[in-house]
Amino acid sequence: LKLAKKCSSCQAIRSPVLASGTSTKCVQTRVRMRAQAVVARECVRSAFLDMPADEDQTEGTATKRARVGRVLPPAVVASDVLDLGFGLPPAGPISGAQGDIEDIWKLHEEACSQDKDFYTDPATGYLVMTRISHDRRGKCCGSGCRHCPYSYTNVRSKTLAEKIQQPAFLHVGTGDRKFEALAKQVEEPKDAGVDAGVVVLFWSGGKDSFLTLRALMRLGHEVVLITTFDAATRVIANQEMHISLVERQARHLDVSLVGIPLHPGTEYVDRLKAGLEVVRRRPRRVVALAFGDLHLQHIRDWREDRLGPAGLCQGLGAEAPVRLYPLWQRPYEELHEDLEASGVPCEVSALGPRISPAGLLKVGAPFGRALAEEVSRAGMDAFGEKGEFHSLAKVWEVTRARALGLAEL
């Protein structure tokens, strides 16, 4: 089952069409991906993708639009966002309820507990392979399956960020590749001194995450980035940027990155646990979790509660990673100086609901001292710590060594 997603070239929703077998084509749309998350999600759930070649192709376009209208917004139905030149499933209820999407994960776990190879998707009626079925196959097929247990190892790297439905490495840095080669030569990498452990940095792609990475690098830590994003739209919450931008950051910086798709009906902490397991299976010891928080105590308290020994790290005992806050209570002047030393330009990627006066900030505006001072004069946090705005660190504009504060070779 393919996902409706953004095209890497035109940044429009990719619309599946039936040609010979199945194929995809790019269609232009004026509808922003974030605002039309329902399009991507409900199209998948309602079996408008990958139609068998022997399906009835005679249904009229008007009738199809009427049926599509049960799950898509009227403005989208009236537009050409979706190509309706292919057959639809037999007439009957088309489920667009959120509950059906949430039931997918419950159905999967129930099927696995009964040692079943498949379960029936509640929206499409199609059979979906379970983790059990994949385990019996013994390897990743490279198709980006919904419940792939192999971290999508055989999916082409160019399409990996678009296909994964479970946590997986989107980029493996040179350091991790070297460790993997050394670890194969010893039985216990930790005891042999090969594995000093890694720090997992919660990475948003913005300036605060970037400055946190620089701080960790100065301390000599090996770092693995993890980023959560919406499984349907591939957009990172709050930052309003596509996961491909974060993947681009990781590749340029050559720092390992684990992507964690978030699905409706799944617990956030459970998905993070699955993401950390991907790191451990490499195998790497996770010695710390790092965050780019600046000064909001209630956010730090939440992390300590939900991501500490009583939450995410519950049951790990002595192996539980510590929590690190390298930027905590750092003066903004120091942060400005460090950002300027990196040479990395940052720009506003999204605006929060508390921007006053209206028009003070715009998406795409460069972030620097001038913008910070203007924001501060308006009574807001100069670094947008309270959600006034979010940013993108364009690390690819400078060399890796300068971005990370490393000595130039």
Side-chain angles (χ1 to χ4, degrees):
L1 199 65
K2 294 182 180 177
L3 286 174
K5 45 187 173 279
K6 271 189 170 181
C7 169
S8 59
S9 58
C10 69
Q11 294 299 299
I13 295 176
R14 280 162 60 173
S15 173
V17 294
L18 187 70
S20 55
T22 54
S23 62
T24 58
K25 70 174 183 180
C26 296
V27 293
Q28 294 183 342
T29 174
R30 295 180 299 273
V31 185
R32 290 187 60 198
M33 193 70 173
R34 177 174 64 88
Q36 297 300 339
V38 65
V39 176
R41 185 163 59 246
E42 299 299 349
C43 284
V44 173
R45 309 309 180 197
S46 303
F48 299 141
L49 313 184
D50 287 345
M51 296 300 298
D54 58 355
E55 276 290 325
D56 178 24
Q57 304 293 306
T58 60
E59 190 171 21
T61 298
T63 304
K64 290 178 185 178
R65 287 195 181 277
R67 291 175 57 195
V68 172
R70 302 180 192 178
V71 293
L72 299 183
V76 177
V77 176
S79 72
D80 293 324
V81 171
L82 295 177
D83 190 321
L84 296 177
F86 58 87
L88 291 177
I94 297 178
S95 176
Q98 183 77 6
D100 286 343
I101 300 173
E102 296 174 356
D103 285 346
I104 287 174
W105 307 100
K106 180 180 178 181
L107 289 171
H108 175 252
E109 292 307 315
E110 289 177 353
C112 288
S113 67
Q114 299 171 22
D115 199 36
K116 291 183 177 180
D117 287 332
F118 301 93
Y119 68 91
T120 302
D121 186 285
T124 68
Y126 292 163
L127 292 178
V128 180
M129 295 175 67
T130 64
R131 181 178 63 251
I132 301 295
S133 179
H134 289 294
D135 285 338
R136 287 176 177 145
R137 171 183 279 172
K139 64 179 181 179
C140 172
C141 67
S143 299
C145 300
R146 183 184 289 173
H147 302 293
C148 177
Y150 302 108
S151 296
Y152 303 90
T153 53
N154 290 330
V155 177
R156 291 191 309 165
S157 60
K158 290 183 178 180
T159 60
L160 196 57
E162 297 284 357
K163 286 190 174 182
I164 66 168
Q165 293 300 301
Q166 301 293 333
F169 274 96
L170 297 180
H171 176 69
V172 179
T174 301
D176 274 321
R177 290 197 296 272
K178 289 181 178 178
F179 165 79
E180 196 168 19
L182 289 172
K184 291 178 180 178
Q185 302 174 22
V186 296
E187 291 186 6
E188 292 294 335
K190 176 184 176 182
D191 297 337
V194 174
D195 186 12
V198 296
V199 174
V200 171
L201 171 58
F202 283 59
W203 179 265
S204 68
K207 62 186 184 340
D208 298 343
S209 291
F210 170 63
L211 290 173
T212 304
L213 177 60
R214 280 176 59 87
L216 292 171
M217 288 292 186
R218 284 194 294 269
L219 294 172
H221 291 297
E222 282 195 67
V223 180
V224 173
L225 312 176
I226 63 170
T227 301
T228 59
F229 57 93
D230 184 84
T233 65
R234 306 278 141 169
V235 170
I236 300 167
N238 299 321
Q239 304 297 118
E240 299 304 333
M241 66 177 72
H242 196 269
I243 185 61
S244 60
L245 288 174
V246 164
E247 185 181 26
R248 183 181 180 185
Q249 291 174 327
R251 291 186 184 280
H252 180 76
L253 298 175
D254 195 25
V255 178
S256 295
L257 167 68
V258 173
I260 305 178
L262 299 179
H263 299 267
T266 57
E267 289 291 334
Y268 177 70
V269 173
D270 290 340
R271 298 299 285 175
L272 291 180
K273 285 181 180 178
L276 292 181
E277 281 304 310
V278 169
V279 178
R280 293 189 181 103
R281 285 199 302 266
R282 193 131 199 106
R284 298 306 307 263
R285 287 190 311 119
V286 178
V287 297
L289 306 178
F291 309 93
D293 300 307
L294 303 181
H295 58 72
L296 294 182
Q297 187 63 49
H298 70 281
I299 298 296
R300 180 165 178 165
D301 291 343
W302 182 90
R303 297 195 193 282
E304 291 296 317
D305 177 49
R306 296 298 304 277
L307 308 182
L312 178 65
C313 303
Q314 186 174 22
L316 295 180
E319 294 294 320
V322 299
R323 271 80 54 213
L324 301 178
Y325 302 86
L327 304 186
W328 188 253
Q329 301 291 3
R330 289 268 302 276
Y332 280 1
E333 176 62 25
E334 289 185 13
L335 299 183
H336 276 301
E337 290 177 356
D338 195 26
L339 190 59
E340 289 167 354
S342 74
V344 171
C346 297
E347 64 180 34
V348 175
S349 65
L351 302 179
R354 302 189 183 95
I355 298 299
S356 178
L360 174 63
L361 289 172
K362 293 182 179 180
V363 172
F367 174 82
R369 291 178 185 269
L371 182 62
E373 290 173 1
E374 189 176 0
V375 168
S376 183
R377 284 196 298 269
M380 294 178 286
D381 189 276
F383 267 63
E385 178 71 345
K386 297 179 182 179
E388 295 93 339
F389 62 93
H390 303 276
S391 60
L392 166 67
K394 302 172 77 172
V395 298
W396 49 82
E397 297 288 340
V398 301
T399 65
R400 173 184 184 270
R402 184 177 180 188
L404 294 179
L406 307 175
E408 295 280 359
L409 297 179

